[in-house]
Amino acid sequence: PQPEPEPVAQREYPSPPGPGAPQPVDFPSAVQFELDNGLTVYIVENHEVPIVSSTLVVRAGSMDNATVAGLTADMLGEGTRARSKAKIDEAIEFVGGTLGESAGVHNSFVFTRTLDKDLKLGLTLLSDEVMNPLFPEEALEKQKQQVKTSLSMNAGSPGYLAGMLFDHVAYPEGHPYGELAPSAEDVDAIKVADLREFHETFYRANNSFLVLSGDITVAEAKPLVKRTLGRWKSTTKRELPGNPLNKFKDYAVPTELVVHLVDRPGSAQAEIIIGNLAIARNHQDWAALKLANSILGGSATGRLFLDVREEKGLAYNVASYLDEAQAPGTFYINTRTRNASTAEMLAALFGHLGRMRKELPTDAELATAKARIVGQFPLELETAGQIASKIRSALTYGLPTDYWKGYRDSISAVTAQQVQDVAKKYMHPIPHVVIVGEAAAIEGQIREVLPKATIKMYGTDLQPKG
């Protein structure tokens, strides 16, 4: 017989230190001035490194025209009346800078990042793209092909399909936030004239603002901005279309539980989104709801991650989200699970939503969520570009100009009772439920765990079936 092995001493690991007190953060003030044409300029000084981040923001995006907005922004870099695309690219690359264009939901952007000594070149190229785009026909065809390729790829993504359908059913009919993706035929129908019309309508000085952040002073910026963007045309309120979100005054929440099931034959997993409309970014309850979301599923310390993933093993990833928007945004939980565990997953998610409404968070949960958000904030202010992004966010969502100075204090002041109160208000007992998966494998489980729910079936084109 072999001798018994000697017992191995159990290793002991010291507990990690707790979070320290938050270090003071002085969010830099933005100094603003306005050109004669109505362009507002914001200067945020940061002289640690000789770099300047410049972002021109046009107050128009996909909510004004879903596909045309993105194509218009992309085409700005395809050449101007004075410079070909090759010359633009060569000029900015020669000085080691960057120049780019994009469009979001609310805004379109042209941005550049250069050394301080090359700021004049950066603003010259930026202003040329904004004021004098050429919109060449052959470049538009190339951009349209890229859009169609992306649409084709997205059509095979369960996560994309679930997110698209969730927004569509959550928002009122015709709402810009809830539009379905365009078809290939819709993209093919877009002409150069559509881009020129969008540009002529929205790309105006007094419908835009410029943020300069980094190694720059107001005295240095004024002559540069006036020289490069001072001749940019402005517009009148009568000529400028109103914000399309203003047409929607009422945002209803569901009164009956409906499961929107996208049948995707062959799927081994079910993609699940559960949620509802919540609040706009500038709502007074934002800080409390952000903490409630963090406690539920905003990080790896949230209830969903610790229970659904770590304890039950139902998913690799599960999280909850709170969208920022000018109109009411969405609160939602997103995860995916094996077909066989769909019912167990749905029961777990509904259980956690109910618990958020019925119970106060523990002192430890509240303290952990606050420490994470407050502690992460300084990391979001490390570069000139990050600071400029905060300024753009405040301007986009109608936040007070000094909002970020008191941001951490607003988070720290939230109480456990306020967290439960906002959970009751904005985590509704009858949410929208969207599932993408093989209907034959999961439909029966849905009826078992949600017997009172109506199931509405869709194809992968997101059109209702039957």
Side-chain angles (χ1 to χ4, degrees), residues 159-171 178-180 259-262 273 432-436 456-459 461-464:
Y160 177 85
L161 295 175
M164 180 71 64
L165 184 57
F166 176 76
D167 287 341
H168 185 65
V169 300
Y171 283 99
E179 289 188 359
L180 294 177
V259 177
H260 302 269
L261 176 57
V262 180
I273 297 182
H432 298 283
V433 180
V434 173
I435 304 177
V436 179
K456 189 173 182 179
M457 198 76 69
Y458 298 79
D461 58 358
L462 302 186
Q463 296 303 312

PDB file of all heavy atoms in Angstrom, residues 159-171 178-180 259-262 273 432-436 456-459 461-464:
ATOM      1  N   GLY A 159     -28.322  39.527 -32.084  1.00  0.00           N
ATOM      2  CA  GLY A 159     -28.286  40.696 -31.225  1.00  0.00           C
ATOM      3  C   GLY A 159     -28.775  41.945 -31.929  1.00  0.00           C
ATOM      4  O   GLY A 159     -29.514  42.755 -31.348  1.00  0.00           O
ATOM      5  N   TYR A 160     -28.361  42.110 -33.177  1.00  0.00           N
ATOM      6  CA  TYR A 160     -28.804  43.271 -33.957  1.00  0.00           C
ATOM      7  C   TYR A 160     -30.308  43.215 -34.193  1.00  0.00           C
ATOM      8  O   TYR A 160     -31.012  44.218 -34.032  1.00  0.00           O
ATOM      9  CB  TYR A 160     -28.053  43.306 -35.283  1.00  0.00           C
ATOM     10  CG  TYR A 160     -28.484  44.425 -36.210  1.00  0.00           C
ATOM     11  CD1 TYR A 160     -27.931  45.695 -36.095  1.00  0.00           C
ATOM     12  CD2 TYR A 160     -29.435  44.202 -37.201  1.00  0.00           C
ATOM     13  CE1 TYR A 160     -28.324  46.730 -36.934  1.00  0.00           C
ATOM     14  CE2 TYR A 160     -29.840  45.221 -38.040  1.00  0.00           C
ATOM     15  CZ  TYR A 160     -29.280  46.482 -37.909  1.00  0.00           C
ATOM     16  OH  TYR A 160     -29.678  47.506 -38.745  1.00  0.00           O
ATOM     17  N   LEU A 161     -30.806  42.048 -34.578  1.00  0.00           N
ATOM     18  CA  LEU A 161     -32.236  41.910 -34.842  1.00  0.00           C
ATOM     19  C   LEU A 161     -33.054  42.196 -33.586  1.00  0.00           C
ATOM     20  O   LEU A 161     -34.084  42.891 -33.638  1.00  0.00           O
ATOM     21  CB  LEU A 161     -32.535  40.504 -35.355  1.00  0.00           C
ATOM     22  CG  LEU A 161     -31.939  40.125 -36.715  1.00  0.00           C
ATOM     23  CD1 LEU A 161     -32.214  38.652 -37.021  1.00  0.00           C
ATOM     24  CD2 LEU A 161     -32.499  41.002 -37.821  1.00  0.00           C
ATOM     25  N   ALA A 162     -32.604  41.673 -32.444  1.00  0.00           N
ATOM     26  CA  ALA A 162     -33.337  41.883 -31.205  1.00  0.00           C
ATOM     27  C   ALA A 162     -33.350  43.363 -30.820  1.00  0.00           C
ATOM     28  O   ALA A 162     -34.385  43.910 -30.425  1.00  0.00           O
ATOM     29  CB  ALA A 162     -32.719  41.047 -30.086  1.00  0.00           C
ATOM     30  N   GLY A 163     -32.204  44.029 -30.932  1.00  0.00           N
ATOM     31  CA  GLY A 163     -32.135  45.451 -30.583  1.00  0.00           C
ATOM     32  C   GLY A 163     -32.981  46.311 -31.491  1.00  0.00           C
ATOM     33  O   GLY A 163     -33.669  47.239 -31.034  1.00  0.00           O
ATOM     34  N   MET A 164     -32.953  46.019 -32.790  1.00  0.00           N
ATOM     35  CA  MET A 164     -33.739  46.780 -33.749  1.00  0.00           C
ATOM     36  C   MET A 164     -35.234  46.628 -33.481  1.00  0.00           C
ATOM     37  O   MET A 164     -35.985  47.615 -33.448  1.00  0.00           O
ATOM     38  CB  MET A 164     -33.394  46.314 -35.161  1.00  0.00           C
ATOM     39  CG  MET A 164     -34.149  47.016 -36.282  1.00  0.00           C
ATOM     40  SD  MET A 164     -33.642  48.735 -36.535  1.00  0.00           S
ATOM     41  CE  MET A 164     -31.937  48.514 -37.059  1.00  0.00           C
ATOM     42  N   LEU A 165     -35.686  45.390 -33.261  1.00  0.00           N
ATOM     43  CA  LEU A 165     -37.110  45.156 -33.027  1.00  0.00           C
ATOM     44  C   LEU A 165     -37.544  45.729 -31.680  1.00  0.00           C
ATOM     45  O   LEU A 165     -38.659  46.251 -31.554  1.00  0.00           O
ATOM     46  CB  LEU A 165     -37.413  43.660 -33.095  1.00  0.00           C
ATOM     47  CG  LEU A 165     -38.892  43.277 -32.960  1.00  0.00           C
ATOM     48  CD1 LEU A 165     -39.749  43.961 -34.029  1.00  0.00           C
ATOM     49  CD2 LEU A 165     -39.070  41.762 -33.039  1.00  0.00           C
ATOM     50  N   PHE A 166     -36.682  45.642 -30.669  1.00  0.00           N
ATOM     51  CA  PHE A 166     -37.035  46.188 -29.358  1.00  0.00           C
ATOM     52  C   PHE A 166     -37.330  47.683 -29.454  1.00  0.00           C
ATOM     53  O   PHE A 166     -38.340  48.171 -28.939  1.00  0.00           O
ATOM     54  CB  PHE A 166     -35.914  45.930 -28.353  1.00  0.00           C
ATOM     55  CG  PHE A 166     -36.159  46.555 -27.008  1.00  0.00           C
ATOM     56  CD1 PHE A 166     -37.064  46.000 -26.119  1.00  0.00           C
ATOM     57  CD2 PHE A 166     -35.492  47.713 -26.638  1.00  0.00           C
ATOM     58  CE1 PHE A 166     -37.305  46.581 -24.888  1.00  0.00           C
ATOM     59  CE2 PHE A 166     -35.715  48.303 -25.410  1.00  0.00           C
ATOM     60  CZ  PHE A 166     -36.623  47.736 -24.525  1.00  0.00           C
ATOM     61  N   ASP A 167     -36.449  48.439 -30.091  1.00  0.00           N
ATOM     62  CA  ASP A 167     -36.693  49.877 -30.248  1.00  0.00           C
ATOM     63  C   ASP A 167     -37.972  50.126 -31.042  1.00  0.00           C
ATOM     64  O   ASP A 167     -38.726  51.059 -30.754  1.00  0.00           O
ATOM     65  CB  ASP A 167     -35.508  50.539 -30.944  1.00  0.00           C
ATOM     66  CG  ASP A 167     -34.295  50.663 -30.039  1.00  0.00           C
ATOM     67  OD1 ASP A 167     -34.461  50.573 -28.802  1.00  0.00           O
ATOM     68  OD2 ASP A 167     -33.179  50.829 -30.559  1.00  0.00           O
ATOM     69  N   HIS A 168     -38.204  49.291 -32.050  1.00  0.00           N
ATOM     70  CA  HIS A 168     -39.368  49.485 -32.917  1.00  0.00           C
ATOM     71  C   HIS A 168     -40.676  49.316 -32.149  1.00  0.00           C
ATOM     72  O   HIS A 168     -41.623  50.077 -32.348  1.00  0.00           O
ATOM     73  CB  HIS A 168     -39.305  48.501 -34.084  1.00  0.00           C
ATOM     74  CG  HIS A 168     -40.389  48.690 -35.101  1.00  0.00           C
ATOM     75  ND1 HIS A 168     -40.498  49.827 -35.868  1.00  0.00           N
ATOM     76  CD2 HIS A 168     -41.426  47.881 -35.466  1.00  0.00           C
ATOM     77  CE1 HIS A 168     -41.545  49.719 -36.665  1.00  0.00           C
ATOM     78  NE2 HIS A 168     -42.131  48.550 -36.437  1.00  0.00           N
ATOM     79  N   VAL A 169     -40.740  48.309 -31.263  1.00  0.00           N
ATOM     80  CA  VAL A 169     -41.983  48.079 -30.528  1.00  0.00           C
ATOM     81  C   VAL A 169     -42.097  48.984 -29.309  1.00  0.00           C
ATOM     82  O   VAL A 169     -43.203  49.244 -28.824  1.00  0.00           O
ATOM     83  CB  VAL A 169     -42.119  46.597 -30.112  1.00  0.00           C
ATOM     84  CG1 VAL A 169     -42.130  45.703 -31.336  1.00  0.00           C
ATOM     85  CG2 VAL A 169     -41.029  46.171 -29.137  1.00  0.00           C
ATOM     86  N   ALA A 170     -40.970  49.481 -28.800  1.00  0.00           N
ATOM     87  CA  ALA A 170     -41.016  50.312 -27.596  1.00  0.00           C
ATOM     88  C   ALA A 170     -41.486  51.726 -27.893  1.00  0.00           C
ATOM     89  O   ALA A 170     -42.164  52.343 -27.060  1.00  0.00           O
ATOM     90  CB  ALA A 170     -39.635  50.349 -26.931  1.00  0.00           C
ATOM     91  N   TYR A 171     -41.152  52.252 -29.082  1.00  0.00           N
ATOM     92  CA  TYR A 171     -41.474  53.645 -29.393  1.00  0.00           C
ATOM     93  C   TYR A 171     -42.756  53.749 -30.215  1.00  0.00           C
ATOM     94  O   TYR A 171     -43.143  52.802 -30.904  1.00  0.00           O
ATOM     95  CB  TYR A 171     -40.312  54.289 -30.156  1.00  0.00           C
ATOM     96  CG  TYR A 171     -39.165  54.645 -29.254  1.00  0.00           C
ATOM     97  CD1 TYR A 171     -38.052  53.815 -29.146  1.00  0.00           C
ATOM     98  CD2 TYR A 171     -39.196  55.800 -28.481  1.00  0.00           C
ATOM     99  CE1 TYR A 171     -36.997  54.132 -28.297  1.00  0.00           C
ATOM    100  CE2 TYR A 171     -38.153  56.134 -27.632  1.00  0.00           C
ATOM    101  CZ  TYR A 171     -37.062  55.295 -27.543  1.00  0.00           C
ATOM    102  OH  TYR A 171     -36.031  55.606 -26.697  1.00  0.00           O
ATOM    103  N   GLY A 178     -37.246  54.530 -33.305  1.00  0.00           N
ATOM    104  CA  GLY A 178     -37.757  53.181 -33.492  1.00  0.00           C
ATOM    105  C   GLY A 178     -37.851  52.724 -34.926  1.00  0.00           C
ATOM    106  O   GLY A 178     -38.540  51.739 -35.222  1.00  0.00           O
ATOM    107  N   GLU A 179     -37.156  53.388 -35.825  1.00  0.00           N
ATOM    108  CA  GLU A 179     -37.227  53.007 -37.231  1.00  0.00           C
ATOM    109  C   GLU A 179     -36.462  51.707 -37.485  1.00  0.00           C
ATOM    110  O   GLU A 179     -35.380  51.494 -36.941  1.00  0.00           O
ATOM    111  CB  GLU A 179     -36.647  54.108 -38.114  1.00  0.00           C
ATOM    112  CG  GLU A 179     -37.517  55.363 -38.183  1.00  0.00           C
ATOM    113  CD  GLU A 179     -36.998  56.340 -39.220  1.00  0.00           C
ATOM    114  OE1 GLU A 179     -35.962  56.039 -39.860  1.00  0.00           O
ATOM    115  OE2 GLU A 179     -37.622  57.391 -39.400  1.00  0.00           O
ATOM    116  N   LEU A 180     -37.038  50.864 -38.332  1.00  0.00           N
ATOM    117  CA  LEU A 180     -36.341  49.653 -38.755  1.00  0.00           C
ATOM    118  C   LEU A 180     -35.250  50.004 -39.767  1.00  0.00           C
ATOM    119  O   LEU A 180     -35.262  51.084 -40.365  1.00  0.00           O
ATOM    120  CB  LEU A 180     -37.326  48.656 -39.372  1.00  0.00           C
ATOM    121  CG  LEU A 180     -38.378  48.073 -38.427  1.00  0.00           C
ATOM    122  CD1 LEU A 180     -39.327  47.164 -39.202  1.00  0.00           C
ATOM    123  CD2 LEU A 180     -37.721  47.301 -37.281  1.00  0.00           C
ATOM    124  N   VAL A 259     -44.869  38.988 -26.082  1.00  0.00           N
ATOM    125  CA  VAL A 259     -43.537  38.509 -26.411  1.00  0.00           C
ATOM    126  C   VAL A 259     -43.383  38.558 -27.925  1.00  0.00           C
ATOM    127  O   VAL A 259     -44.141  37.913 -28.665  1.00  0.00           O
ATOM    128  CB  VAL A 259     -43.309  37.073 -25.905  1.00  0.00           C
ATOM    129  CG1 VAL A 259     -41.920  36.573 -26.343  1.00  0.00           C
ATOM    130  CG2 VAL A 259     -43.428  37.015 -24.395  1.00  0.00           C
ATOM    131  N   HIS A 260     -42.437  39.341 -28.398  1.00  0.00           N
ATOM    132  CA  HIS A 260     -42.176  39.475 -29.830  1.00  0.00           C
ATOM    133  C   HIS A 260     -41.075  38.474 -30.187  1.00  0.00           C
ATOM    134  O   HIS A 260     -39.905  38.665 -29.836  1.00  0.00           O
ATOM    135  CB  HIS A 260     -41.748  40.908 -30.149  1.00  0.00           C
ATOM    136  CG  HIS A 260     -42.769  41.931 -29.734  1.00  0.00           C
ATOM    137  ND1 HIS A 260     -43.764  42.372 -30.575  1.00  0.00           N
ATOM    138  CD2 HIS A 260     -42.962  42.570 -28.548  1.00  0.00           C
ATOM    139  CE1 HIS A 260     -44.520  43.263 -29.937  1.00  0.00           C
ATOM    140  NE2 HIS A 260     -44.054  43.399 -28.714  1.00  0.00           N
ATOM    141  N   LEU A 261     -41.450  37.407 -30.865  1.00  0.00           N
ATOM    142  CA  LEU A 261     -40.549  36.283 -31.131  1.00  0.00           C
ATOM    143  C   LEU A 261     -40.134  36.270 -32.594  1.00  0.00           C
ATOM    144  O   LEU A 261     -40.971  36.120 -33.489  1.00  0.00           O
ATOM    145  CB  LEU A 261     -41.241  34.970 -30.753  1.00  0.00           C
ATOM    146  CG  LEU A 261     -40.482  33.666 -31.046  1.00  0.00           C
ATOM    147  CD1 LEU A 261     -39.122  33.660 -30.367  1.00  0.00           C
ATOM    148  CD2 LEU A 261     -41.316  32.470 -30.607  1.00  0.00           C
ATOM    149  N   VAL A 262     -38.867  36.445 -32.845  1.00  0.00           N
ATOM    150  CA  VAL A 262     -38.310  36.375 -34.194  1.00  0.00           C
ATOM    151  C   VAL A 262     -37.834  34.948 -34.432  1.00  0.00           C
ATOM    152  O   VAL A 262     -36.910  34.463 -33.764  1.00  0.00           O
ATOM    153  CB  VAL A 262     -37.139  37.361 -34.366  1.00  0.00           C
ATOM    154  CG1 VAL A 262     -36.567  37.260 -35.786  1.00  0.00           C
ATOM    155  CG2 VAL A 262     -37.582  38.783 -34.070  1.00  0.00           C
ATOM    156  N   ILE A 273     -34.184  40.344 -24.990  1.00  0.00           N
ATOM    157  CA  ILE A 273     -34.185  41.716 -24.485  1.00  0.00           C
ATOM    158  C   ILE A 273     -35.500  41.947 -23.762  1.00  0.00           C
ATOM    159  O   ILE A 273     -36.579  41.672 -24.307  1.00  0.00           O
ATOM    160  CB  ILE A 273     -34.004  42.755 -25.603  1.00  0.00           C
ATOM    161  CG1 ILE A 273     -32.638  42.600 -26.278  1.00  0.00           C
ATOM    162  CG2 ILE A 273     -34.141  44.171 -25.040  1.00  0.00           C
ATOM    163  CD1 ILE A 273     -32.368  43.630 -27.362  1.00  0.00           C
ATOM    164  N   HIS A 432     -41.664  45.268 -22.445  1.00  0.00           N
ATOM    165  CA  HIS A 432     -41.569  44.689 -23.786  1.00  0.00           C
ATOM    166  C   HIS A 432     -40.599  43.516 -23.718  1.00  0.00           C
ATOM    167  O   HIS A 432     -39.540  43.612 -23.086  1.00  0.00           O
ATOM    168  CB  HIS A 432     -41.049  45.716 -24.795  1.00  0.00           C
ATOM    169  CG  HIS A 432     -41.931  46.914 -24.957  1.00  0.00           C
ATOM    170  ND1 HIS A 432     -43.099  46.884 -25.683  1.00  0.00           N
ATOM    171  CD2 HIS A 432     -41.803  48.179 -24.483  1.00  0.00           C
ATOM    172  CE1 HIS A 432     -43.661  48.086 -25.650  1.00  0.00           C
ATOM    173  NE2 HIS A 432     -42.895  48.883 -24.934  1.00  0.00           N
ATOM    174  N   VAL A 433     -40.943  42.415 -24.367  1.00  0.00           N
ATOM    175  CA  VAL A 433     -40.066  41.238 -24.408  1.00  0.00           C
ATOM    176  C   VAL A 433     -39.810  40.891 -25.867  1.00  0.00           C
ATOM    177  O   VAL A 433     -40.754  40.678 -26.638  1.00  0.00           O
ATOM    178  CB  VAL A 433     -40.693  40.030 -23.688  1.00  0.00           C
ATOM    179  CG1 VAL A 433     -39.749  38.830 -23.746  1.00  0.00           C
ATOM    180  CG2 VAL A 433     -41.041  40.376 -22.241  1.00  0.00           C
ATOM    181  N   VAL A 434     -38.542  40.847 -26.248  1.00  0.00           N
ATOM    182  CA  VAL A 434     -38.147  40.474 -27.612  1.00  0.00           C
ATOM    183  C   VAL A 434     -37.188  39.299 -27.523  1.00  0.00           C
ATOM    184  O   VAL A 434     -36.217  39.342 -26.751  1.00  0.00           O
ATOM    185  CB  VAL A 434     -37.477  41.657 -28.342  1.00  0.00           C
ATOM    186  CG1 VAL A 434     -36.929  41.195 -29.699  1.00  0.00           C
ATOM    187  CG2 VAL A 434     -38.462  42.803 -28.529  1.00  0.00           C
ATOM    188  N   ILE A 435     -37.469  38.258 -28.287  1.00  0.00           N
ATOM    189  CA  ILE A 435     -36.614  37.067 -28.308  1.00  0.00           C
ATOM    190  C   ILE A 435     -36.335  36.692 -29.759  1.00  0.00           C
ATOM    191  O   ILE A 435     -37.250  36.649 -30.582  1.00  0.00           O
ATOM    192  CB  ILE A 435     -37.281  35.876 -27.586  1.00  0.00           C
ATOM    193  CG1 ILE A 435     -37.646  36.261 -26.141  1.00  0.00           C
ATOM    194  CG2 ILE A 435     -36.363  34.663 -27.585  1.00  0.00           C
ATOM    195  CD1 ILE A 435     -38.368  35.163 -25.381  1.00  0.00           C
ATOM    196  N   VAL A 436     -35.073  36.435 -30.060  1.00  0.00           N
ATOM    197  CA  VAL A 436     -34.670  35.950 -31.380  1.00  0.00           C
ATOM    198  C   VAL A 436     -34.099  34.554 -31.203  1.00  0.00           C
ATOM    199  O   VAL A 436     -33.135  34.352 -30.454  1.00  0.00           O
ATOM    200  CB  VAL A 436     -33.626  36.869 -32.032  1.00  0.00           C
ATOM    201  CG1 VAL A 436     -33.207  36.317 -33.391  1.00  0.00           C
ATOM    202  CG2 VAL A 436     -34.162  38.294 -32.173  1.00  0.00           C
ATOM    203  N   LYS A 456     -46.221  37.203 -30.440  1.00  0.00           N
ATOM    204  CA  LYS A 456     -46.313  37.755 -31.789  1.00  0.00           C
ATOM    205  C   LYS A 456     -45.084  37.300 -32.567  1.00  0.00           C
ATOM    206  O   LYS A 456     -43.951  37.568 -32.151  1.00  0.00           O
ATOM    207  CB  LYS A 456     -46.405  39.274 -31.751  1.00  0.00           C
ATOM    208  CG  LYS A 456     -46.710  39.917 -33.096  1.00  0.00           C
ATOM    209  CD  LYS A 456     -46.965  41.415 -32.940  1.00  0.00           C
ATOM    210  CE  LYS A 456     -47.317  42.050 -34.281  1.00  0.00           C
ATOM    211  NZ  LYS A 456     -47.580  43.509 -34.137  1.00  0.00           N
ATOM    212  N   MET A 457     -45.293  36.622 -33.687  1.00  0.00           N
ATOM    213  CA  MET A 457     -44.201  35.993 -34.423  1.00  0.00           C
ATOM    214  C   MET A 457     -43.719  36.893 -35.564  1.00  0.00           C
ATOM    215  O   MET A 457     -44.505  37.570 -36.224  1.00  0.00           O
ATOM    216  CB  MET A 457     -44.652  34.653 -34.990  1.00  0.00           C
ATOM    217  CG  MET A 457     -43.519  33.729 -35.384  1.00  0.00           C
ATOM    218  SD  MET A 457     -42.737  32.950 -33.961  1.00  0.00           S
ATOM    219  CE  MET A 457     -44.065  31.855 -33.424  1.00  0.00           C
ATOM    220  N   TYR A 458     -42.389  36.870 -35.798  1.00  0.00           N
ATOM    221  CA  TYR A 458     -41.771  37.658 -36.867  1.00  0.00           C
ATOM    222  C   TYR A 458     -40.792  36.768 -37.634  1.00  0.00           C
ATOM    223  O   TYR A 458     -40.275  35.786 -37.108  1.00  0.00           O
ATOM    224  CB  TYR A 458     -40.966  38.845 -36.299  1.00  0.00           C
ATOM    225  CG  TYR A 458     -41.770  39.855 -35.534  1.00  0.00           C
ATOM    226  CD1 TYR A 458     -42.161  39.614 -34.219  1.00  0.00           C
ATOM    227  CD2 TYR A 458     -42.120  41.072 -36.103  1.00  0.00           C
ATOM    228  CE1 TYR A 458     -42.884  40.541 -33.502  1.00  0.00           C
ATOM    229  CE2 TYR A 458     -42.834  42.021 -35.381  1.00  0.00           C
ATOM    230  CZ  TYR A 458     -43.218  41.749 -34.090  1.00  0.00           C
ATOM    231  OH  TYR A 458     -43.928  42.683 -33.388  1.00  0.00           O
ATOM    232  N   GLY A 459     -40.542  37.165 -38.891  1.00  0.00           N
ATOM    233  CA  GLY A 459     -39.442  36.572 -39.642  1.00  0.00           C
ATOM    234  C   GLY A 459     -38.168  37.349 -39.394  1.00  0.00           C
ATOM    235  O   GLY A 459     -38.162  38.382 -38.718  1.00  0.00           O
ATOM    236  N   ASP A 461     -36.723  39.207 -41.312  1.00  0.00           N
ATOM    237  CA  ASP A 461     -36.834  40.534 -41.894  1.00  0.00           C
ATOM    238  C   ASP A 461     -37.576  41.494 -40.969  1.00  0.00           C
ATOM    239  O   ASP A 461     -37.827  42.649 -41.332  1.00  0.00           O
ATOM    240  CB  ASP A 461     -37.543  40.476 -43.260  1.00  0.00           C
ATOM    241  CG  ASP A 461     -38.939  39.862 -43.155  1.00  0.00           C
ATOM    242  OD1 ASP A 461     -39.351  39.450 -42.038  1.00  0.00           O
ATOM    243  OD2 ASP A 461     -39.618  39.785 -44.195  1.00  0.00           O
ATOM    244  N   LEU A 462     -37.926  40.995 -39.772  1.00  0.00           N
ATOM    245  CA  LEU A 462     -38.636  41.742 -38.728  1.00  0.00           C
ATOM    246  C   LEU A 462     -40.036  42.151 -39.146  1.00  0.00           C
ATOM    247  O   LEU A 462     -40.624  43.074 -38.552  1.00  0.00           O
ATOM    248  CB  LEU A 462     -37.820  42.974 -38.280  1.00  0.00           C
ATOM    249  CG  LEU A 462     -36.420  42.667 -37.733  1.00  0.00           C
ATOM    250  CD1 LEU A 462     -35.785  43.936 -37.195  1.00  0.00           C
ATOM    251  CD2 LEU A 462     -36.456  41.579 -36.676  1.00  0.00           C
ATOM    252  N   GLN A 463     -40.586  41.447 -40.120  1.00  0.00           N
ATOM    253  CA  GLN A 463     -41.989  41.667 -40.501  1.00  0.00           C
ATOM    254  C   GLN A 463     -42.848  40.618 -39.815  1.00  0.00           C
ATOM    255  O   GLN A 463     -42.471  39.454 -39.712  1.00  0.00           O
ATOM    256  CB  GLN A 463     -42.146  41.559 -42.029  1.00  0.00           C
ATOM    257  CG  GLN A 463     -41.381  42.632 -42.793  1.00  0.00           C
ATOM    258  CD  GLN A 463     -41.788  44.042 -42.380  1.00  0.00           C
ATOM    259  OE1 GLN A 463     -42.968  44.359 -42.310  1.00  0.00           O
ATOM    260  NE2 GLN A 463     -40.790  44.864 -42.088  1.00  0.00           N
ATOM    261  N   PRO A 464     -44.034  41.028 -39.297  1.00  0.00           N
ATOM    262  CA  PRO A 464     -44.909  40.062 -38.606  1.00  0.00           C
ATOM    263  C   PRO A 464     -45.296  38.908 -39.508  1.00  0.00           C
ATOM    264  O   PRO A 464     -45.497  39.078 -40.713  1.00  0.00           O
ATOM    265  CB  PRO A 464     -46.132  40.921 -38.227  1.00  0.00           C
ATOM    266  CG  PRO A 464     -45.647  42.330 -38.235  1.00  0.00           C
ATOM    267  CD  PRO A 464     -44.582  42.395 -39.298  1.00  0.00           C
TER     268      PRO A 464
END
